[in-house]
Amino acid sequence: MLTTTFGALADPTRLAIVGRLSRGAATMGELAAPHQVTLPAITKHVRVLVDAGLVNRERRGRTVVCTLRTEAISEVEQWLGDLTSYWNSTVDRLEELLREDDDGH
């Protein structure tokens, strides 16, 4: 799942779309507005995000509204938290070893 998620987020336009959706729901037109791409191009980007499980798309009459799937973002957040914990403990242990070496132990 994370490979698909990061693959979808690797594109700057899709990353910007996720950033916009983190502030609330948006129509396809609202998502397209800040980018110099066509509405069909934005539709393709949103489809990749939907397929990756990051975004929900809902038709409301003639309008398509997109929302962020927070549970998918939570998976990324959990993975990053685990990685951060690992590196923090590794750096802490390295600092201990360096202090011991400086103290002559």
PDB file of all heavy atoms in Angstrom, residues 28-56:
ATOM      1  N   MET A  28     -13.431  19.623  -8.884  1.00  0.00           N
ATOM      2  CA  MET A  28     -12.364  19.422  -9.865  1.00  0.00           C
ATOM      3  C   MET A  28     -11.858  20.763 -10.394  1.00  0.00           C
ATOM      4  O   MET A  28     -10.662  20.947 -10.569  1.00  0.00           O
ATOM      5  CB  MET A  28     -12.855  18.543 -11.012  1.00  0.00           C
ATOM      6  CG  MET A  28     -13.244  17.147 -10.588  1.00  0.00           C
ATOM      7  SD  MET A  28     -11.856  16.188  -9.967  1.00  0.00           S
ATOM      8  CE  MET A  28     -11.237  15.542 -11.478  1.00  0.00           C
ATOM      9  N   GLY A  29     -12.764  21.689 -10.601  1.00  0.00           N
ATOM     10  CA  GLY A  29     -12.380  23.028 -11.070  1.00  0.00           C
ATOM     11  C   GLY A  29     -11.493  23.740 -10.074  1.00  0.00           C
ATOM     12  O   GLY A  29     -10.516  24.396 -10.439  1.00  0.00           O
ATOM     13  N   GLU A  30     -11.822  23.614  -8.791  1.00  0.00           N
ATOM     14  CA  GLU A  30     -10.997  24.232  -7.742  1.00  0.00           C
ATOM     15  C   GLU A  30      -9.618  23.589  -7.679  1.00  0.00           C
ATOM     16  O   GLU A  30      -8.622  24.278  -7.436  1.00  0.00           O
ATOM     17  CB  GLU A  30     -11.701  24.119  -6.387  1.00  0.00           C
ATOM     18  CG  GLU A  30     -12.935  24.979  -6.273  1.00  0.00           C
ATOM     19  CD  GLU A  30     -13.786  24.663  -5.055  1.00  0.00           C
ATOM     20  OE1 GLU A  30     -13.697  23.542  -4.513  1.00  0.00           O
ATOM     21  OE2 GLU A  30     -14.547  25.562  -4.643  1.00  0.00           O
ATOM     22  N   LEU A  31      -9.570  22.292  -7.920  1.00  0.00           N
ATOM     23  CA  LEU A  31      -8.272  21.610  -7.907  1.00  0.00           C
ATOM     24  C   LEU A  31      -7.433  22.002  -9.124  1.00  0.00           C
ATOM     25  O   LEU A  31      -6.212  22.082  -9.037  1.00  0.00           O
ATOM     26  CB  LEU A  31      -8.462  20.089  -7.872  1.00  0.00           C
ATOM     27  CG  LEU A  31      -9.091  19.531  -6.598  1.00  0.00           C
ATOM     28  CD1 LEU A  31      -9.332  18.029  -6.746  1.00  0.00           C
ATOM     29  CD2 LEU A  31      -8.221  19.818  -5.378  1.00  0.00           C
ATOM     30  N   ALA A  32      -8.092  22.255 -10.232  1.00  0.00           N
ATOM     31  CA  ALA A  32      -7.380  22.608 -11.466  1.00  0.00           C
ATOM     32  C   ALA A  32      -6.885  24.052 -11.460  1.00  0.00           C
ATOM     33  O   ALA A  32      -5.865  24.358 -12.093  1.00  0.00           O
ATOM     34  CB  ALA A  32      -8.282  22.385 -12.672  1.00  0.00           C
ATOM     35  N   ALA A  33      -7.585  24.935 -10.757  1.00  0.00           N
ATOM     36  CA  ALA A  33      -7.320  26.371 -10.834  1.00  0.00           C
ATOM     37  C   ALA A  33      -5.852  26.777 -10.650  1.00  0.00           C
ATOM     38  O   ALA A  33      -5.333  27.562 -11.440  1.00  0.00           O
ATOM     39  CB  ALA A  33      -8.213  27.118  -9.840  1.00  0.00           C
ATOM     40  N   PRO A  34      -5.132  26.282  -9.643  1.00  0.00           N
ATOM     41  CA  PRO A  34      -3.761  26.760  -9.460  1.00  0.00           C
ATOM     42  C   PRO A  34      -2.732  26.153 -10.424  1.00  0.00           C
ATOM     43  O   PRO A  34      -1.582  26.569 -10.436  1.00  0.00           O
ATOM     44  CB  PRO A  34      -3.425  26.361  -8.016  1.00  0.00           C
ATOM     45  CG  PRO A  34      -4.411  25.339  -7.616  1.00  0.00           C
ATOM     46  CD  PRO A  34      -5.573  25.448  -8.534  1.00  0.00           C
ATOM     47  N   HIS A  35      -3.161  25.216 -11.247  1.00  0.00           N
ATOM     48  CA  HIS A  35      -2.221  24.521 -12.134  1.00  0.00           C
ATOM     49  C   HIS A  35      -2.444  24.935 -13.583  1.00  0.00           C
ATOM     50  O   HIS A  35      -3.555  25.229 -13.986  1.00  0.00           O
ATOM     51  CB  HIS A  35      -2.407  23.003 -11.999  1.00  0.00           C
ATOM     52  CG  HIS A  35      -2.300  22.534 -10.590  1.00  0.00           C
ATOM     53  ND1 HIS A  35      -1.100  22.402  -9.938  1.00  0.00           N
ATOM     54  CD2 HIS A  35      -3.260  22.187  -9.684  1.00  0.00           C
ATOM     55  CE1 HIS A  35      -1.323  21.997  -8.696  1.00  0.00           C
ATOM     56  NE2 HIS A  35      -2.623  21.856  -8.513  1.00  0.00           N
ATOM     57  N   GLN A  36      -1.387  24.934 -14.331  1.00  0.00           N
ATOM     58  CA  GLN A  36      -1.500  25.279 -15.743  1.00  0.00           C
ATOM     59  C   GLN A  36      -1.668  24.004 -16.568  1.00  0.00           C
ATOM     60  O   GLN A  36      -0.872  23.701 -17.461  1.00  0.00           O
ATOM     61  CB  GLN A  36      -0.278  26.065 -16.190  1.00  0.00           C
ATOM     62  CG  GLN A  36      -0.193  27.420 -15.535  1.00  0.00           C
ATOM     63  CD  GLN A  36       0.987  28.220 -16.042  1.00  0.00           C
ATOM     64  OE1 GLN A  36       1.877  27.705 -16.689  1.00  0.00           O
ATOM     65  NE2 GLN A  36       0.983  29.498 -15.730  1.00  0.00           N
ATOM     66  N   VAL A  37      -2.708  23.249 -16.214  1.00  0.00           N
ATOM     67  CA  VAL A  37      -3.035  22.028 -16.941  1.00  0.00           C
ATOM     68  C   VAL A  37      -4.532  22.029 -17.212  1.00  0.00           C
ATOM     69  O   VAL A  37      -5.296  22.767 -16.590  1.00  0.00           O
ATOM     70  CB  VAL A  37      -2.639  20.757 -16.154  1.00  0.00           C
ATOM     71  CG1 VAL A  37      -1.133  20.663 -15.970  1.00  0.00           C
ATOM     72  CG2 VAL A  37      -3.337  20.694 -14.817  1.00  0.00           C
ATOM     73  N   THR A  38      -4.947  21.186 -18.120  1.00  0.00           N
ATOM     74  CA  THR A  38      -6.358  21.108 -18.480  1.00  0.00           C
ATOM     75  C   THR A  38      -7.152  20.348 -17.416  1.00  0.00           C
ATOM     76  O   THR A  38      -6.583  19.600 -16.608  1.00  0.00           O
ATOM     77  CB  THR A  38      -6.519  20.382 -19.824  1.00  0.00           C
ATOM     78  OG1 THR A  38      -6.053  19.036 -19.667  1.00  0.00           O
ATOM     79  CG2 THR A  38      -5.737  21.087 -20.939  1.00  0.00           C
ATOM     80  N   LEU A  39      -8.451  20.526 -17.445  1.00  0.00           N
ATOM     81  CA  LEU A  39      -9.328  19.792 -16.534  1.00  0.00           C
ATOM     82  C   LEU A  39      -9.204  18.275 -16.755  1.00  0.00           C
ATOM     83  O   LEU A  39      -9.156  17.522 -15.776  1.00  0.00           O
ATOM     84  CB  LEU A  39     -10.773  20.266 -16.682  1.00  0.00           C
ATOM     85  CG  LEU A  39     -11.752  19.808 -15.610  1.00  0.00           C
ATOM     86  CD1 LEU A  39     -11.266  20.162 -14.212  1.00  0.00           C
ATOM     87  CD2 LEU A  39     -13.117  20.401 -15.857  1.00  0.00           C
ATOM     88  N   PRO A  40      -9.103  17.790 -18.014  1.00  0.00           N
ATOM     89  CA  PRO A  40      -8.892  16.353 -18.196  1.00  0.00           C
ATOM     90  C   PRO A  40      -7.581  15.854 -17.558  1.00  0.00           C
ATOM     91  O   PRO A  40      -7.529  14.742 -17.040  1.00  0.00           O
ATOM     92  CB  PRO A  40      -8.873  16.168 -19.723  1.00  0.00           C
ATOM     93  CG  PRO A  40      -9.716  17.292 -20.232  1.00  0.00           C
ATOM     94  CD  PRO A  40      -9.416  18.452 -19.298  1.00  0.00           C
ATOM     95  N   ALA A  41      -6.553  16.685 -17.576  1.00  0.00           N
ATOM     96  CA  ALA A  41      -5.291  16.292 -16.939  1.00  0.00           C
ATOM     97  C   ALA A  41      -5.464  16.185 -15.426  1.00  0.00           C
ATOM     98  O   ALA A  41      -4.962  15.249 -14.798  1.00  0.00           O
ATOM     99  CB  ALA A  41      -4.185  17.281 -17.281  1.00  0.00           C
ATOM    100  N   ILE A  42      -6.198  17.132 -14.839  1.00  0.00           N
ATOM    101  CA  ILE A  42      -6.472  17.075 -13.399  1.00  0.00           C
ATOM    102  C   ILE A  42      -7.299  15.837 -13.082  1.00  0.00           C
ATOM    103  O   ILE A  42      -7.068  15.154 -12.080  1.00  0.00           O
ATOM    104  CB  ILE A  42      -7.179  18.366 -12.914  1.00  0.00           C
ATOM    105  CG1 ILE A  42      -6.208  19.538 -12.938  1.00  0.00           C
ATOM    106  CG2 ILE A  42      -7.771  18.183 -11.517  1.00  0.00           C
ATOM    107  CD1 ILE A  42      -5.025  19.418 -11.990  1.00  0.00           C
ATOM    108  N   THR A  43      -8.261  15.530 -13.944  1.00  0.00           N
ATOM    109  CA  THR A  43      -9.082  14.333 -13.760  1.00  0.00           C
ATOM    110  C   THR A  43      -8.206  13.085 -13.717  1.00  0.00           C
ATOM    111  O   THR A  43      -8.417  12.193 -12.883  1.00  0.00           O
ATOM    112  CB  THR A  43     -10.133  14.224 -14.880  1.00  0.00           C
ATOM    113  OG1 THR A  43     -10.952  15.398 -14.842  1.00  0.00           O
ATOM    114  CG2 THR A  43     -10.984  12.989 -14.735  1.00  0.00           C
ATOM    115  N   LYS A  44      -7.205  13.008 -14.580  1.00  0.00           N
ATOM    116  CA  LYS A  44      -6.290  11.857 -14.580  1.00  0.00           C
ATOM    117  C   LYS A  44      -5.480  11.811 -13.288  1.00  0.00           C
ATOM    118  O   LYS A  44      -5.276  10.745 -12.709  1.00  0.00           O
ATOM    119  CB  LYS A  44      -5.365  11.902 -15.802  1.00  0.00           C
ATOM    120  CG  LYS A  44      -6.068  11.586 -17.090  1.00  0.00           C
ATOM    121  CD  LYS A  44      -5.120  11.642 -18.266  1.00  0.00           C
ATOM    122  CE  LYS A  44      -5.864  11.392 -19.574  1.00  0.00           C
ATOM    123  NZ  LYS A  44      -4.970  11.429 -20.726  1.00  0.00           N
ATOM    124  N   HIS A  45      -4.998  12.954 -12.840  1.00  0.00           N
ATOM    125  CA  HIS A  45      -4.245  13.008 -11.583  1.00  0.00           C
ATOM    126  C   HIS A  45      -5.118  12.546 -10.412  1.00  0.00           C
ATOM    127  O   HIS A  45      -4.682  11.773  -9.560  1.00  0.00           O
ATOM    128  CB  HIS A  45      -3.723  14.421 -11.313  1.00  0.00           C
ATOM    129  CG  HIS A  45      -2.520  14.789 -12.117  1.00  0.00           C
ATOM    130  ND1 HIS A  45      -1.323  14.121 -12.036  1.00  0.00           N
ATOM    131  CD2 HIS A  45      -2.333  15.792 -13.027  1.00  0.00           C
ATOM    132  CE1 HIS A  45      -0.446  14.671 -12.847  1.00  0.00           C
ATOM    133  NE2 HIS A  45      -1.034  15.692 -13.465  1.00  0.00           N
ATOM    134  N   VAL A  46      -6.351  13.025 -10.381  1.00  0.00           N
ATOM    135  CA  VAL A  46      -7.268  12.636  -9.302  1.00  0.00           C
ATOM    136  C   VAL A  46      -7.548  11.139  -9.376  1.00  0.00           C
ATOM    137  O   VAL A  46      -7.597  10.459  -8.339  1.00  0.00           O
ATOM    138  CB  VAL A  46      -8.563  13.470  -9.346  1.00  0.00           C
ATOM    139  CG1 VAL A  46      -9.634  12.886  -8.428  1.00  0.00           C
ATOM    140  CG2 VAL A  46      -8.259  14.918  -8.961  1.00  0.00           C
ATOM    141  N   ARG A  47      -7.678  10.598 -10.564  1.00  0.00           N
ATOM    142  CA  ARG A  47      -7.917   9.156 -10.715  1.00  0.00           C
ATOM    143  C   ARG A  47      -6.768   8.350 -10.106  1.00  0.00           C
ATOM    144  O   ARG A  47      -6.990   7.339  -9.441  1.00  0.00           O
ATOM    145  CB  ARG A  47      -8.109   8.784 -12.182  1.00  0.00           C
ATOM    146  CG  ARG A  47      -8.490   7.308 -12.345  1.00  0.00           C
ATOM    147  CD  ARG A  47      -8.785   6.902 -13.784  1.00  0.00           C
ATOM    148  NE  ARG A  47      -9.727   7.803 -14.413  1.00  0.00           N
ATOM    149  CZ  ARG A  47      -9.480   8.482 -15.541  1.00  0.00           C
ATOM    150  NH1 ARG A  47      -8.328   8.364 -16.155  1.00  0.00           N
ATOM    151  NH2 ARG A  47     -10.395   9.276 -16.054  1.00  0.00           N
ATOM    152  N   VAL A  48      -5.539   8.794 -10.313  1.00  0.00           N
ATOM    153  CA  VAL A  48      -4.380   8.111  -9.708  1.00  0.00           C
ATOM    154  C   VAL A  48      -4.483   8.158  -8.185  1.00  0.00           C
ATOM    155  O   VAL A  48      -4.239   7.157  -7.503  1.00  0.00           O
ATOM    156  CB  VAL A  48      -3.050   8.743 -10.191  1.00  0.00           C
ATOM    157  CG1 VAL A  48      -1.870   8.205  -9.405  1.00  0.00           C
ATOM    158  CG2 VAL A  48      -2.861   8.501 -11.692  1.00  0.00           C
ATOM    159  N   LEU A  49      -4.876   9.317  -7.652  1.00  0.00           N
ATOM    160  CA  LEU A  49      -5.010   9.453  -6.197  1.00  0.00           C
ATOM    161  C   LEU A  49      -6.153   8.601  -5.662  1.00  0.00           C
ATOM    162  O   LEU A  49      -6.040   8.018  -4.578  1.00  0.00           O
ATOM    163  CB  LEU A  49      -5.212  10.925  -5.837  1.00  0.00           C
ATOM    164  CG  LEU A  49      -4.015  11.839  -6.117  1.00  0.00           C
ATOM    165  CD1 LEU A  49      -4.402  13.302  -5.971  1.00  0.00           C
ATOM    166  CD2 LEU A  49      -2.845  11.480  -5.216  1.00  0.00           C
ATOM    167  N   VAL A  50      -7.237   8.497  -6.413  1.00  0.00           N
ATOM    168  CA  VAL A  50      -8.355   7.639  -6.010  1.00  0.00           C
ATOM    169  C   VAL A  50      -7.918   6.183  -6.028  1.00  0.00           C
ATOM    170  O   VAL A  50      -8.165   5.425  -5.081  1.00  0.00           O
ATOM    171  CB  VAL A  50      -9.586   7.869  -6.931  1.00  0.00           C
ATOM    172  CG1 VAL A  50     -10.643   6.791  -6.713  1.00  0.00           C
ATOM    173  CG2 VAL A  50     -10.175   9.252  -6.702  1.00  0.00           C
ATOM    174  N   ASP A  51      -7.244   5.774  -7.106  1.00  0.00           N
ATOM    175  CA  ASP A  51      -6.772   4.390  -7.224  1.00  0.00           C
ATOM    176  C   ASP A  51      -5.786   4.027  -6.113  1.00  0.00           C
ATOM    177  O   ASP A  51      -5.722   2.874  -5.685  1.00  0.00           O
ATOM    178  CB  ASP A  51      -6.132   4.147  -8.591  1.00  0.00           C
ATOM    179  CG  ASP A  51      -7.150   4.167  -9.725  1.00  0.00           C
ATOM    180  OD1 ASP A  51      -8.371   4.100  -9.448  1.00  0.00           O
ATOM    181  OD2 ASP A  51      -6.718   4.268 -10.894  1.00  0.00           O
ATOM    182  N   ALA A  52      -5.031   5.015  -5.641  1.00  0.00           N
ATOM    183  CA  ALA A  52      -4.073   4.780  -4.549  1.00  0.00           C
ATOM    184  C   ALA A  52      -4.760   4.796  -3.189  1.00  0.00           C
ATOM    185  O   ALA A  52      -4.122   4.539  -2.168  1.00  0.00           O
ATOM    186  CB  ALA A  52      -2.967   5.841  -4.596  1.00  0.00           C
ATOM    187  N   GLY A  53      -6.045   5.127  -3.169  1.00  0.00           N
ATOM    188  CA  GLY A  53      -6.787   5.147  -1.916  1.00  0.00           C
ATOM    189  C   GLY A  53      -6.608   6.413  -1.101  1.00  0.00           C
ATOM    190  O   GLY A  53      -6.974   6.459   0.067  1.00  0.00           O
ATOM    191  N   LEU A  54      -6.071   7.461  -1.721  1.00  0.00           N
ATOM    192  CA  LEU A  54      -5.825   8.712  -1.005  1.00  0.00           C
ATOM    193  C   LEU A  54      -6.988   9.695  -1.068  1.00  0.00           C
ATOM    194  O   LEU A  54      -7.123  10.550  -0.198  1.00  0.00           O
ATOM    195  CB  LEU A  54      -4.573   9.393  -1.575  1.00  0.00           C
ATOM    196  CG  LEU A  54      -3.266   8.660  -1.321  1.00  0.00           C
ATOM    197  CD1 LEU A  54      -2.166   9.204  -2.217  1.00  0.00           C
ATOM    198  CD2 LEU A  54      -2.890   8.773   0.132  1.00  0.00           C
ATOM    199  N   VAL A  55      -7.808   9.571  -2.097  1.00  0.00           N
ATOM    200  CA  VAL A  55      -8.858  10.554  -2.347  1.00  0.00           C
ATOM    201  C   VAL A  55     -10.172   9.841  -2.655  1.00  0.00           C
ATOM    202  O   VAL A  55     -10.180   8.789  -3.296  1.00  0.00           O
ATOM    203  CB  VAL A  55      -8.455  11.481  -3.533  1.00  0.00           C
ATOM    204  CG1 VAL A  55      -9.591  12.366  -3.987  1.00  0.00           C
ATOM    205  CG2 VAL A  55      -7.245  12.316  -3.160  1.00  0.00           C
ATOM    206  N   ASN A  56     -11.255  10.417  -2.186  1.00  0.00           N
ATOM    207  CA  ASN A  56     -12.603   9.995  -2.569  1.00  0.00           C
ATOM    208  C   ASN A  56     -13.162  11.011  -3.545  1.00  0.00           C
ATOM    209  O   ASN A  56     -12.910  12.213  -3.404  1.00  0.00           O
ATOM    210  CB  ASN A  56     -13.535   9.926  -1.349  1.00  0.00           C
ATOM    211  CG  ASN A  56     -13.248   8.729  -0.485  1.00  0.00           C
ATOM    212  OD1 ASN A  56     -12.893   7.661  -0.965  1.00  0.00           O
ATOM    213  ND2 ASN A  56     -13.404   8.906   0.809  1.00  0.00           N
TER     214      ASN A  56
END
